[in-house]
Amino acid sequence: MLRQLLYCLGTIATLFSPVLAGVGDPQLQTDHPWYPGELSCSSFERLQATQARLFEHVTGSPPQTEEEKVLAAWMWRNLHYAHGEEGRQDLWERGFTTGDTTTREFWSGLFSHGYGLCGTTHAQWTVELNALLGHCRSRTVGVNGHNALEVFIRGNEYGRGRWILLDHDLSTVVFAEDGSRMLSISEIGNNLALTDPSFRIERQHGWPLAGLHPDDAREVYRQVRFVEHLPGYAGPTPKIHLRSGETLTRFFKPGLEDGQTFVFWGRNYRAGDIPGPERNRTWINQPERFFENPDGAGYQRGQARYGNAVFEYRPDFSDGSFLEGTVSSGPQHVNFEFQSPFLIAATPPNDSDWGIYEEGCRNGLVVTADIDITLGVSTDRGETWTEASMSSGSVDLTDAVKGCQQYLLRINEPATKLTDANLLIRTVCQANPNLFPRLKENGTNVTFEASHIATVSAGPAVDLASKHRLDNGDNPSVQILQLAAPRNEPVTHLYAAAHIASGNPPDPTVEYALHYSTDLGETWQPIVENWKIERSSEEPQDFWSQSFCYGDISLSPPHSGPVQFRSSNSKGKPILRFEAHLDYQIEHPDACRVTFEWEEEEGTQRTEQNTFSPGQKSAWEIETGSRVQMHSVKFEVE
């Protein structure tokens, strides 16, 4: 039976008629030369512009050629993303450790984790490089004990085009012996002496080779073993939506408010008595050493660690503004939604490497109130619920939501009985602190911008997407999802991505497509058409048997009502997983207060805040001293 899921407010048991508002997509950027914040990199266009500015800052000239543009992208990623083992997502309803649970989505990998193993970072990064250069212009390549990356660039010494190595994970590019151009993995394999970072240093033009450890590149590029085409994808660009009574505080270092509460989503390296992910060899936090430094990054325990994004939501049941955060409210319940670009983190029950996957985790989702209540939480849009009763004024629901980016929280009381409950919903996520806006020494210019847009998702996990699925599964090469804004807000932008069993070797004649419909399937419009896996003559005999088809499109004018999404292909290739997302307008946005907290020389604690009215991009100047050490930055609905 076909299922059509439409969001609605349901039966409202109160007499409130509020104007639904909040703050949608607030972002900050500073004039810090290396780490200006999320507004500098929250779309591919912004990211490319930031990389170009950084390249000019380092080299003295803006990037003009494709070689220079990919080096700019490579440098930026080296300074913002590290090698490490990320926490997995339960994408297939099989648990965190069964099947391919690697984060292959670009924005989640960058904004929530900021680290990944070789195959992970390079799969994600192909998405950015294809956005920069064109379809199928990058690929991951399996070599000896490692997954590397190549890009296909043109112009100057590269003529009509050549593949070249662009290895972020080992911080390695290799130039020819005469320095004339960059080399492919096959070319490097024919002359492994070129992988010695001390061999003719001048040929590298200042760019690192084995920049993290001098022995990293000596043997790995001996042989190309397999290729992965289109191994990553892009979902929605990262946005947050704060409702009235909600704050988001981002902490630049592990430990949260008291410095001792460690909540994370990745391997626990236990480095320097600080639990959680860590990297001791990386360019992060020492960016000035990256270019023209033959000594490499060096070793420093805790050189890069994780950050946190803490959402605290205290809905006001006295004036009806709580409806901004609900998907339904009735005589026996209030049902709140939560969605974030960051993954919900956890304090594990022990200090093992992967304690986050065990039962007994804490601090990811905690609900407190001054009255006794029962409640339920769901991560599959209400298909199944984890029930709980509050005791001693609080309940910890972390195990039910950890590793997810969204949930529904049902309070089993009517809104009229919650007026004096002092309800607080605290959600702690992991976030990449290298994308937080940093203040620089001796004064900082801050830019604030809010698009007043929020996002709702059907996916990436199959259990969440299945709640929105309309097709009956008879045709494995076609899937249809239906999605609408939570409170029937106008829809402005659509995103879709399909994970496909494309075959080994992949057939370059198969045409993949993504379509959408705003009239319940009567007519269909393209998001992506004629999407093919473009093969190269320079390939091994083995391939990853899967790939992604993804795309996005704006709706003008905005659409009110449900949207259907369809994935299909021309030769019956099975769709393993299909996800859809949409952006919607917050029609009556509120003002947003921003607060920075930091420390300066001699331990001086500093706090500055400013309130920004809804509207255009706004500027703010903050006086700072020397030796600035960031603590937190906070958004708050005014």
Side-chain angles (χ1 to χ4, degrees), residues 129 150 201 219 291 303 355 362 372 391 472 529 592 627:
L129 293 168
E150 288 185 319
I201 295 175
E219 295 294 331
F291 187 63
Q303 182 66 37
R362 299 174 292 112
D372 293 332
S391 61
N472 57 20
E529 282 188 315
C592 183
R627 299 182 182 178

Side-chain angles (χ1 to χ4, degrees), residues 248-291:
L248 166 62
T249 306
R250 288 175 288 171
F251 293 92
F252 286 76
K253 297 179 181 179
L256 300 184
E257 294 91 341
D258 62 3
Q260 298 297 317
T261 304
F262 302 105
V263 193
F264 52 90
W265 195 246
R267 182 175 178 175
N268 184 3
Y269 288 94
R270 303 178 297 280
D273 297 324
I274 297 178
E278 174 264 359
R279 184 60 176 164
N280 49 45
R281 291 186 180 274
T282 176
W283 299 105
I284 293 171
N285 296 322
Q286 50 175 355
E288 67 285 343
R289 289 169 49 86
F290 182 79
F291 187 63

Side-chain angles (χ1 to χ4, degrees), residues 163-239:
W163 289 103
I164 62 164
L165 172 71
L166 204 66
D167 195 320
H168 158 256
D169 190 66
L170 299 185
S171 189
T172 293
V173 294
V174 179
F175 279 80
E177 189 169 346
D178 62 0
S180 59
R181 63 176 178 86
M182 298 164 68
L183 301 180
S184 69
I185 294 174
S186 295
E187 290 174 309
I188 297 166
N190 291 330
N191 186 2
L192 288 175
L194 295 174
T195 63
D196 182 351
S198 65
F199 176 70
R200 296 192 177 181
I201 295 175
E202 68 281 358
R203 68 188 165 96
Q204 289 290 118
H205 307 290
W207 301 109
L209 192 165
L212 305 182
H213 190 283
D215 295 333
D216 276 349
R218 292 191 186 276
E219 295 294 331
V220 295
Y221 305 119
R222 183 178 295 275
Q223 181 183 6
V224 173
R225 297 181 178 273
F226 63 87
V227 162
E228 296 182 357
H229 291 289
L230 300 170
Y233 69 101
T237 53
K239 304 174 190 69

Side-chain angles (χ1 to χ4, degrees), residues 393-410:
S394 69
V395 62
D396 195 312
L397 297 165
T398 301
D399 279 334
V401 300
K402 62 187 181 184
C404 296
Q405 293 170 289
Q406 58 76 41
Y407 61 77
L408 298 180
L409 180 69
R410 186 189 66 229

